[in-house]
Amino acid sequence: MALGRRDQEQQGSFWIAADELPRSKGHVFYGKLNELLREAGFDAFVESLCEPYYHGTMGRPGIPPGVYFRMLLVGYFEGLGSQRGIAWRCADSLSLREFLGVPLAEETPDHSSLTRVRDRLPLSVHVAVFQFVLRLADEHGLLKGKTVGVDATTLEADAAMKSIVRRDTGEDWQEYVRRLMQEAGQIEEGEEPTAEEIARFDRKRKNKKVSNQEWQSETDPDSRITKMKDGRTHLAYKAEHVVDLDTELILAAEVYHADAADVDTIGSSLNQAQDNLIQAESDAGIEEAVADKGYAKNETLAELEFTEGLRTYIVEPRYAQRRNWKNKPAEERRAVLNNRRRVKGKRGRALQRQRSEKVERSFAHVCETGGSRRTWLCGIEKVSKRYLISAMARNLGLVLRHLFGIGTPRSLQGEGDLADNLQLALLNILTTLGRLPTPTNRTPPQQPTAHQPPALAACNHQNPTPST
């Protein structure tokens, strides 16, 4: 065979027939995801849902809503946080083109098109699509909803601390420090200090505090100054998950201002989760709520138990002195004592372990591998729309894992029909790595159990006995 050489000045054909265009063999995961959405009637549902927000006759046809939501799903499954990254990835991949239903002769939507569609559709539409996936999970028996875990995390906003300004005067940081220098007699009125002199004065002065009551971001006023999980001080939002501890489905993914206290948001998140279950036409109902000590407050415990009718398992912080119940409502004392008794029990300790494992796992999937830890949008409503679809994508991954054994495109990849080739591909990989005996000496795999996906059941085998 002769060496092939790349022609640098090769001119392409002026005309190529449609049947001669390059075609992809497709991606197993995205093919199964499209099949699941097609059987559930996803495209017809979102088109009827979005129809009131478009004109009936005037204007050129916009991006189909099914394509818009699929591109946001690609952002989660590929770990892309920005819309530019999503648009580039969809334009570059033949498999994703097939997933979106965009022919090779047409261009995929760019990032500005995603922005226009997102601004046109209200948050209620995104919530309805999230509830549609919950209904789909309930049809496959994955929705229990009796015991839920609640926790929150921070999302880095698309704004820098350098952009903060005073709420009362509109001064930025340098103008504010310059005024303090003038009031302290360091400079004369009208004198312009250098950046080095401003930094030196700011470094030496005492009682330097930046509060949300006095400062705000000029580019993203909805963001709040807070301490991130890694200890940095940054402008951020707060995301709160309500997770079904039996199935790990996210029942609600709410975004709040970063300075909102946990005890003030848990009631709203639980109500939204219960409403999502109702709209999903599920028979499940929330009866127990599990949370950490950040949610412990007398008024909150009394409201959840006597107003919402929930059994709480919320850890209490350690108090330096014995609690004083004088001049306190009787229902608050009763709610606190009931919650304390449940938390100290065997079931309460087990639920706390499940909460710390499963709720934190949902944050790891949505924020870390899903690319939602850093927001690229300004405004709490826009951030809520994008984050809610990322949580919906995580629920779709759980449904796919239940049905086909894989929940992400990076889990197991193969060609052709998954049911025929996935077990063989897995066995070939493990045999190559030397973790399985050769096929001639291997005993037949056991039948899959009820809790074991068929794709992974082939690995559950016993080592063969030595032949004599």
Side-chain angles (χ1 to χ4, degrees):
M1 179 181 294
L3 175 65
R5 299 185 182 276
R6 183 174 182 270
D7 189 355
Q8 300 291 340
E9 300 181 357
Q10 183 178 4
Q11 182 177 3
S13 304
F14 288 101
W15 182 84
I16 301 178
D19 56 354
E20 297 179 359
L21 291 173
R23 297 183 179 277
S24 170
K25 295 182 179 179
H27 197 290
V28 173
F29 175 81
Y30 289 111
K32 289 297 181 182
L33 178 56
N34 250 346
E35 179 182 341
L36 178 65
L37 296 177
R38 190 183 307 112
E39 292 177 355
F42 177 77
D43 291 278
F45 172 79
V46 295
E47 288 175 6
S48 62
L49 191 66
C50 301
E51 187 175 2
Y53 305 98
Y54 291 86
H55 199 280
T57 56
M58 298 182 62
R60 64 183 181 88
I63 301 174
V67 175
Y68 163 72
F69 286 108
R70 278 178 172 84
M71 292 186 72
L72 296 185
L73 295 180
V74 169
Y76 168 80
F77 288 118
E78 299 294 325
L80 303 173
S82 67
Q83 293 182 167
R84 293 178 183 269
I86 295 174
W88 177 86
R89 184 73 178 90
C90 292
D92 183 68
S93 173
L94 295 178
S95 299
L96 293 181
R97 276 181 170 270
E98 182 179 354
F99 173 64
L100 299 177
V102 178
L104 291 176
E106 299 180 7
E107 294 184 357
T108 56
D110 57 7
H111 67 280
S112 61
S113 300
L114 292 178
T115 300
R116 288 181 177 272
V117 176
R118 187 195 62 245
D119 294 343
R120 178 181 294 272
L121 301 178
L123 179 60
S124 58
V125 172
H126 295 75
V127 173
V129 177
F130 179 84
Q131 295 167 352
F132 175 86
V133 175
L134 285 182
R135 186 184 307 117
L136 179 62
D138 185 56
E139 293 175 356
H140 291 88
L142 287 180
L143 195 57
K144 305 300 181 183
K146 176 183 177 182
T147 305
V148 299
V150 185
D151 206 349
T153 188
T154 52
L155 308 177
E156 184 176 345
D158 190 23
M161 289 292 292
K162 294 181 179 179
S163 66
I164 60 175
V165 296
R166 296 278 301 184
R167 291 183 181 269
D168 51 358
T169 62
E171 299 173 317
D172 61 12
W173 188 259
Q174 287 196 347
E175 293 174 350
Y176 170 68
V177 177
R178 188 183 299 114
R179 178 167 60 84
L180 294 180
M181 293 178 66
Q182 183 178 346
E183 294 176 355
Q186 297 287 335
I187 59 174
E188 299 293 336
E189 185 176 357
E191 183 180 353
E192 290 294 334
T194 63
E196 183 180 355
E197 293 174 342
I198 294 176
R200 187 184 305 114
F201 176 82
D202 186 33
R203 186 166 52 251
K204 292 182 179 180
R205 69 186 183 92
K206 299 180 180 179
N207 299 325
K208 293 186 294 183
K209 292 185 179 180
V210 182
S211 65
N212 289 300
Q213 289 72 27
E214 298 176 351
W215 296 87
Q216 69 175 358
S217 172
E218 190 175 15
T219 57
D220 189 3
D222 288 340
S223 61
R224 296 291 186 267
I225 303 170
T226 188
K227 182 175 288 187
M228 303 294 291
K229 293 295 184 181
D230 55 3
R232 295 179 298 121
T233 299
H234 206 280
L235 292 163
Y237 291 93
K238 168 187 168 182
E240 193 167 61
H241 285 189
V242 179
V243 178
D244 187 349
L245 294 184
D246 291 326
T247 61
E248 299 191 37
L249 285 172
I250 301 176
L251 305 183
E254 299 297 297
V255 177
Y256 302 99
H257 296 294
D259 57 349
D262 291 342
V263 294
D264 297 331
T265 59
I266 183 174
S268 177
S269 298
L270 288 174
N271 289 335
Q272 183 61 47
Q274 186 64 56
D275 183 66
N276 290 339
L277 292 176
I278 295 174
Q279 297 299 324
E281 300 176 359
S282 173
D283 297 332
I286 300 176
E287 300 179 6
E288 299 173 332
V290 188
D292 58 15
K293 61 183 179 181
Y295 293 89
K297 186 179 179 182
N298 296 350
E299 294 82 354
T300 302
L301 293 175
E303 180 182 359
L304 293 178
E305 182 168 353
F306 297 110
T307 304
E308 304 296 336
L310 302 178
R311 293 190 300 273
T312 58
Y313 294 84
I314 301 178
V315 179
E316 283 187 278
R318 292 185 178 181
Y319 297 99
Q321 298 178 355
R322 187 175 181 180
R323 303 290 300 275
N324 185 2
W325 295 103
K326 293 183 179 180
N327 301 325
K328 298 288 182 65
E331 60 270 11
E332 291 185 7
R333 180 175 185 272
R334 182 181 174 187
V336 170
L337 295 179
N338 291 342
N339 176 76
R340 183 183 303 170
R341 172 180 51 81
R342 287 189 291 263
V343 169
K344 290 183 177 180
K346 183 178 180 180
R347 174 174 169 77
R349 295 193 298 269
L351 289 177
Q352 286 297 331
R353 290 193 295 269
Q354 292 185 38
R355 179 204 59 81
S356 60
E357 172 190 351
K358 298 178 179 179
V359 181
E360 291 299 332
R361 182 183 294 146
S362 70
F363 287 131
H365 288 174
V366 176
C367 298
E368 305 301 336
T369 60
S372 296
R373 176 67 69 184
R374 169 69 157 84
T375 63
W376 299 91
L377 304 172
C378 295
I380 191 169
E381 184 177 358
K382 296 179 181 179
V383 174
S384 298
K385 293 176 183 178
R386 176 65 193 277
Y387 192 83
L388 191 63
I389 300 303
S390 296
M392 181 198 77
R394 201 257 179 175
N395 289 344
L396 270 177
L398 291 177
V399 176
L400 287 170
R401 183 176 298 277
H402 172 73
L403 295 177
F404 309 114
I406 57 175
T408 62
R410 289 166 284 186
S411 298
L412 292 174
Q413 302 176 0
E415 300 178 356
D417 187 14
L418 180 65
D420 296 336
N421 297 330
L422 192 55
Q423 294 186 16
L424 180 60
L426 181 60
L427 290 175
N428 290 337
I429 292 174
L430 296 180
T431 303
T432 304
L433 295 176
R435 297 182 181 181
L436 289 179
T438 57
T440 56
N441 297 330
R442 187 175 64 246
T443 58
Q446 298 177 355
Q447 294 296 325
T449 62
H451 302 285
Q452 190 176 29
L456 302 181
C459 296
N460 187 15
H461 65 282
Q462 300 177 351
N463 293 328
T465 56
S467 57
T468 57

